[in-house]
Amino acid sequence: MKAVLVKKPGDAGQLYIGEFPTPEPQDKEILVKVKATAVNRADIHQRKGHYPPPKGASPIIGLEVSGVVEATGANVTKWKVGDRVFGLLEGGGYAEYAVLHEDMAMPIPDSLSYEDTAAIPEVFLTAYQTLFWIGHLKQGERVLIHAGASGVGTAAIQMAKLNGAYVAVTAGSKEKLDACQKLGADLAINYKTDDFAKVIQEALGPSSIDVVLDFIGASYWEQNLEVLGMDGRHVLISTLSGYKLENVDLRAIMGKRLTLTGTTLRSRDRDYKVKLTQEFMDTMLPLFKKGELKPIVDRVFPIAEVQEAHRYMEANKNIGKIVLSVGELR
Ligand SMILES: NC(=O)c1ccc[n+]([C@@H]2O[C@H](COP(=O)([O-])OP(=O)(O)OC[C@H]3O[C@@H](n4cnc5c(N)ncnc54)[C@H](OP(=O)(O)O)[C@@H]3O)[C@@H](O)[C@H]2O)c1
C-alpha cells in the first residue's frame, strides 16, 4: 500500500509518499480502507524523532482514522465488510489501510462525513478523559482550558459546557478567542496581551478555578497555582512552553489541597482505551448525531499535501482540527 513515510527525522520536508506493507488484521481487528485521518501535535514530534510509537504499534504516523471496513480478523463479531467506522489508533493513520481493534471502532453517524469523524477521536477522547475521568469536572464547577482554540481545546470547551461547567480559556489571537466564545466559552483571555491570572481574578475572584486543563506547562505554573481554588485539580497533558521549573514554591499545593496530575493517552493500554471509547460512544456520540457536539475542522488537506498540513499546524494557524483526506495515494 501507499503511506506517508519519513525520510529522516526532521522538518515537514522529510515527509513523502512511499510503499509500505499493507497491515494484516489479527483475530479481533478490522482492516480499514482509510478515507480520512487528521494531524496531531504528536505527529510532529514523531516526525522529528522525539516521540517513537509504543511497542507493537505501526511506525507510520497517524493517531486516528475514518473509513470503510475492507476485511475482518477471524474473531471479529461487531463489524462487517463495508461498514463505515472511525476510531483511535496507536499509529498508522497516514496510509491507504490501517488496522483497528474492533472494540475501538465507532460507527460513523449518517449525518457526519469521513472528514468530520477523522477530526473526533484523538481530541475528543483526550478532552473527555482529562476533564471527567482525571479532572473530575462536575456540573457548576469552573474549568480553565489553555490553548482553547487547539484541537483538544475546542473539544473540551464543548463538552465542559454541555456538562454545565463555567469555561474560561486562553488563546493567542482575537480570531481564536472569538471561535472559543462561539463554542460556548464564558471568559476568553488573550495570553499575549493580558495576564490570565489577573483577568480571572477580576472576573471571578481569587482562587476561583476548580480544574485547569494545561497544555502549556512551565511558563504557566505560577499563574495556574494562583487561580486554582480549594481542592483544585491541575491536569497536565503537554508542555508546549517547556517542562522545567525553577524556584518552585510548593506551599499552595498544601494550602489549597491541590491535586497535580498528568497523562498521555497513547501510552495507555488497550483495555483503558477500549473502556474510554465505549463510554464516549454511549455518552457523547449521540450528541454528535443531535448536533449538540461538533467536530471543529479548520482545513482539509489532500494527503498529497501532508507537508503543508504539518507546516500549518507548526505555525499555530489552526482553530480546531487539520484533516487529511485520503483518496488514491500516489
Ligand atoms: N497527553 C495527551 O494524552 C495528549 C493527547 C492529545 C493532545 N495532547 C497535547 O495537547 C496539545 C494540544 O494538541 P492539539 O493537537 O489540539 O494542538 P493544536 O491544535 O496544534 O494547538 C496547539 C495550540 O497551542 C498554542 N500554543 C503553542 N505553543 C504555545 C505556548 N508556548 N504558549 C501558549 N500557547 C501555545 C497555539 O495556539 P495559540 O495561537 O493560542 O498560542 C497552538 O495553536 C498538544 O501539545 C498535544 O501534544 C496531549
Side-chain angles (χ1 to χ4, degrees):
M1 68 171 180
K2 300 273 192 222
V4 174
L5 304 173
V6 183
K7 270 180 231 152
K8 60 178 197 319
D11 64 18
Q14 297 299 324
L15 298 170
Y16 72 102
I17 293 173
E19 282 294 332
F20 199 83
T22 305
E24 300 254 341
Q26 303 300 306
D27 208 35
K28 299 288 270 178
E29 289 176 343
I30 54 179
L31 181 70
V32 178
K33 171 122 180 67
V34 179
K35 297 285 189 182
T37 180
V39 183
N40 289 285
R41 284 269 156 176
D43 304 351
I44 288 161
H45 299 313
Q46 184 171 337
R47 188 200 73 213
K48 289 180 175 170
H50 302 153
Y51 194 41
K55 210 166 160 237
S58 166
I60 297 170
I61 297 175
L63 296 176
E64 53 203 334
V65 76
S66 76
V68 181
V69 178
E70 175 93 2
T72 55
N75 287 315
V76 166
T77 54
K78 294 187 171 169
W79 307 102
K80 60 179 185 335
V81 171
D83 285 345
R84 286 172 13 114
V85 294
F86 72 109
L88 191 66
L89 299 170
E90 283 169 351
Y94 289 20
E96 274 182 303
Y97 294 95
V99 285
L100 199 52
H101 189 278
E102 70 164 346
D103 292 333
M104 281 174 55
M106 296 182 269
I108 297 183
D110 289 340
S111 56
L112 295 180
S113 66
Y114 293 118
E115 284 77 13
D116 288 334
T117 42
I120 294 174
E122 176 70 11
V123 296
F124 274 91
L125 290 171
T126 296
Y128 184 86
Q129 177 214 191
T130 49
L131 288 176
F132 305 120
W133 284 13
I134 298 174
H136 303 290
L137 182 67
K138 292 183 263 320
Q139 189 173 10
E141 287 194 325
R142 292 165 171 161
V143 60
L144 169 61
I145 299 169
H146 290 305
S150 66
V152 181
T154 52
I157 294 169
Q158 295 183 68
M159 290 190 290
K161 283 309 296 177
L162 276 177
N163 281 275
Y166 178 98
V167 175
V169 297
T170 63
S173 71
K174 181 173 182 316
E175 198 195 355
K176 287 189 174 183
L177 295 168
D178 289 348
C180 293
Q181 283 181 308
K182 271 201 196 129
L183 291 173
D186 300 285
L187 180 63
I189 307 160
N190 187 330
Y191 72 88
K192 289 185 176 159
T193 54
D194 290 307
D195 173 341
F196 74 81
K198 208 163 155 217
V199 177
I200 289 175
Q201 171 146 350
E202 278 163 13
L204 304 172
S207 302
S208 49
I209 296 291
D210 299 291
V211 177
V212 174
L213 184 54
D214 185 15
F215 314 89
I216 311 303
S219 68
Y220 284 2
W221 168 259
E222 281 175 30
Q223 288 153 291
N224 283 334
L225 256 50
E226 199 179 322
V227 299
L228 277 163
M230 286 304 271
D231 296 307
R233 287 87 73 196
H234 176 255
V235 185
L236 184 69
I237 64 165
S238 195
T239 52
L240 285 166
S241 74
Y243 54 87
K244 290 211 169 144
L245 295 170
E246 285 170 18
N247 301 322
V248 178
D249 182 341
L250 297 169
R251 287 173 296 181
I253 299 170
M254 290 187 290
K256 294 186 186 179
R257 299 190 299 255
L258 301 182
T259 302
L260 305 183
T261 180
T263 187
T264 61
L265 181 56
R266 195 181 192 185
S267 62
R268 296 279 186 177
D269 65 25
R270 167 77 51 74
D271 288 350
Y272 184 96
K273 287 180 194 160
V274 165
K275 190 165 170 257
L276 180 61
T277 300
Q278 296 294 322
E279 185 173 309
F280 181 84
M281 204 161 73
D282 292 343
T283 57
M284 295 290 140
L285 198 54
L287 304 178
F288 284 95
K289 292 182 193 164
K290 287 193 210 160
E292 291 176 20
L293 283 176
K294 291 191 184 68
I296 305 302
V297 177
D298 179 301
R299 271 184 72 171
V300 180
F301 288 84
I303 196 151
E305 293 173 22
V306 62
Q307 294 185 354
E308 291 316 310
H310 272 218
R311 289 187 189 112
Y312 190 72
M313 177 171 276
E314 286 175 280
N316 293 336
K317 285 186 181 163
N318 57 297
I319 294 175
K321 293 287 291 185
I322 300 166
V323 170
L324 298 170
S325 69
V326 184
E328 293 310 306
L329 281 177
R330 276 181 220 149

